[in-house]
Amino acid sequence: MRACIDELTHQQQHRAHSSPLPKRKFPTVGVGGFFQTDVGYITQDAASRAAVGDLQDGSDFRRARIGVKGQAWCATSYNLQVDFASLNRVVFTDVWMQMKRDWGNVRIGRFRQPFGMEAMSGVTDLAFIEYANTFGFYPFRQTGIGAFGTMDEDAGTWFLSGFRAESDGIGASVGDDGGWGLAGRLTFLPYDCESTAQLLHVGFDYALIAPPDDTVRFGAIPEAFLAEEGVGRIPNFVDTGIITAENVNQFGVEGAFQNGRLHGQSELFVTIVD
């Protein structure tokens, strides 16, 4: 809002001394998209077949996304992105409205919840072609409201969020017992040198989730995706089955470093199910 007032004042002063400035038009619209496809050829020994079955070679479109984003007004932005790769349905990925304030930003809608370094990375920036098996513990995309910003001259970030849990691919969440969550993330750059492309990143994560209908299940596909369902689908290598749970506390520590072209990252999670 202050940026808009400053811009308006500047325009008024300019009109008093010269020709008027063109008025900026809202909303602005930018269209984009991308797709990712996986192709895999698999060999197994007898122990692997006994554990997970006879896995098939295959290929599939992992993601096929299109979206629009822009400014609804001078301090209000939006993002509407959908994925067409899921079988028989369109999936909402990022669908949110965001307002910029003096102290940070407020976001409302469906977005990545602030937990985990890899989960907060865009899918075009992953270190490998898939998320690690720890992905099964992330709250990931849920519908809620969050606030975030930077601190110490961009040497740190903070993000707090409250959300409905768990929601399906179009953001729907049902259940009259539980079905809510809180998440928070703090990150710091203890060392950052642009001239030598060196940095050290550390972060801390926490989430509290009261699952709907007092049940929770953690599962994750392996680090390859060759079919959404059917004979070609690789089964979950991580799957707890359904657990009766009143609430779930999750703690995370993350770290990353860069030294020129050398990069490394790691995360540790502890999940306590009550």
Side-chain angles (χ1 to χ4, degrees), residues 174-190:
V174 297
D176 56 6
D177 186 6
W180 58 268
L182 304 170
R185 182 172 183 249
L186 287 173
T187 71
F188 303 94
L189 280 176

Side-chain angles (χ1 to χ4, degrees), residues 86-185:
S86 293
L87 191 64
N88 299 325
R89 75 181 307 182
V90 175
V91 173
F92 293 171
T93 51
D94 293 299
V95 181
W96 47 257
M97 183 78 73
Q98 182 172 295
M99 291 152 282
K100 184 175 179 60
R101 317 305 300 169
D102 292 338
W103 46 266
N105 304 272
V106 177
R107 182 176 293 180
I108 302 172
R110 178 173 172 82
F111 53 90
R112 297 168 187 258
Q113 298 304 313
F115 189 91
M117 175 173 53
E118 191 180 45
M120 296 295 287
S121 301
V123 293
T124 57
D125 298 318
L126 296 179
F128 298 96
I129 63 171
E130 273 297 333
Y131 290 105
N133 281 337
T134 49
F135 180 81
F137 295 100
Y138 296 137
F140 206 50
R141 284 190 176 94
Q142 307 292 341
T143 302
I145 180 170
F148 64 95
T150 61
M151 51 190 176
D152 296 332
E153 298 181 350
D154 296 337
T157 69
W158 59 272
F159 199 148
L160 297 173
S161 179
F163 54 91
R164 287 285 300 175
E166 297 278 336
S167 62
D168 62 14
I170 58 172
S173 177
V174 297
D176 56 6
D177 186 6
W180 58 268
L182 304 170
R185 182 172 183 249

Side-chain angles (χ1 to χ4, degrees), residues 5 12 20 35 38 49 51 62 64-66 98 106 109 118 144 149 160 192-193 196 200 205 210 233-234 246 258 264:
I5 295 174
Q12 291 171 338
F35 72 89
D38 288 0
R49 286 191 177 89
R62 182 66 178 95
R65 297 182 183 175
I66 189 169
Q98 182 172 295
V106 177
E118 191 180 45
L160 297 173
D192 183 15
C193 182
T196 59
L200 177 65
D205 313 276
R233 186 185 189 279
I234 299 177
E246 184 175 342
Q258 178 181 337

Side-chain angles (χ1 to χ4, degrees), residues 1-273:
M1 180 65 72
R2 185 167 61 187
C4 294
I5 295 174
D6 291 343
E7 181 181 354
L8 181 60
T9 302
H10 175 74
Q11 291 180 7
Q12 291 171 338
Q13 293 172 348
H14 191 81
R15 291 192 190 102
H17 300 90
S18 62
S19 60
L21 292 174
K23 186 177 181 180
R24 188 174 181 183
K25 295 182 179 179
F26 293 101
T28 64
V29 179
V31 180
F34 68 93
F35 72 89
Q36 297 174 331
T37 185
D38 288 0
V39 179
Y41 298 91
I42 299 172
T43 60
Q44 294 176 271
D45 59 19
S48 174
R49 286 191 177 89
V52 298
D54 185 13
L55 303 183
Q56 304 294 306
D57 300 338
S59 64
D60 197 3
F61 277 92
R62 182 66 178 95
R63 299 172 180 91
R65 297 182 183 175
I66 189 169
V68 296
K69 62 181 179 180
Q71 295 291 122
W73 192 242
C74 54
T76 304
S77 57
Y78 67 92
N79 191 354
L80 305 172
Q81 187 186 73
V82 295
D83 193 316
F84 295 92
S86 293
L87 191 64
N88 299 325
R89 75 181 307 182
V90 175
V91 173
F92 293 171
T93 51
D94 293 299
V95 181
W96 47 257
M97 183 78 73
Q98 182 172 295
M99 291 152 282
K100 184 175 179 60
R101 317 305 300 169
D102 292 338
W103 46 266
N105 304 272
V106 177
R107 182 176 293 180
I108 302 172
R110 178 173 172 82
F111 53 90
R112 297 168 187 258
Q113 298 304 313
F115 189 91
M117 175 173 53
E118 191 180 45
M120 296 295 287
S121 301
V123 293
T124 57
D125 298 318
L126 296 179
F128 298 96
I129 63 171
E130 273 297 333
Y131 290 105
N133 281 337
T134 49
F135 180 81
F137 295 100
Y138 296 137
F140 206 50
R141 284 190 176 94
Q142 307 292 341
T143 302
I145 180 170
F148 64 95
T150 61
M151 51 190 176
D152 296 332
E153 298 181 350
D154 296 337
T157 69
W158 59 272
F159 199 148
L160 297 173
S161 179
F163 54 91
R164 287 285 300 175
E166 297 278 336
S167 62
D168 62 14
I170 58 172
S173 177
V174 297
D176 56 6
D177 186 6
W180 58 268
L182 304 170
R185 182 172 183 249
L186 287 173
T187 71
F188 303 94
L189 280 176
Y191 182 74
D192 183 15
C193 182
E194 281 192 32
S195 61
T196 59
Q198 294 177 315
L199 65 81
L200 177 65
H201 161 95
V202 294
F204 305 92
D205 313 276
Y206 174 72
L208 171 63
I209 299 173
D213 299 325
D214 291 336
T215 61
V216 67
R217 182 175 189 172
F218 299 105
I221 64 172
E223 295 165 23
F225 188 94
L226 303 182
E228 187 170 357
E229 63 180 37
V231 67
R233 186 185 189 279
I234 299 177
N236 287 352
F237 284 7
V238 176
D239 193 341
T240 64
I242 297 175
I243 304 173
T244 301
E246 184 175 342
N247 57 65
V248 178
N249 281 274
Q250 296 180 289
F251 303 87
V253 179
E254 59 189 65
F257 74 90
Q258 178 181 337
N259 185 2
R261 297 181 180 181
L262 179 64
H263 166 82
Q265 66 184 59
S266 185
E267 299 181 73
L268 172 66
F269 301 118
V270 176
T271 297
I272 301 173
V273 179

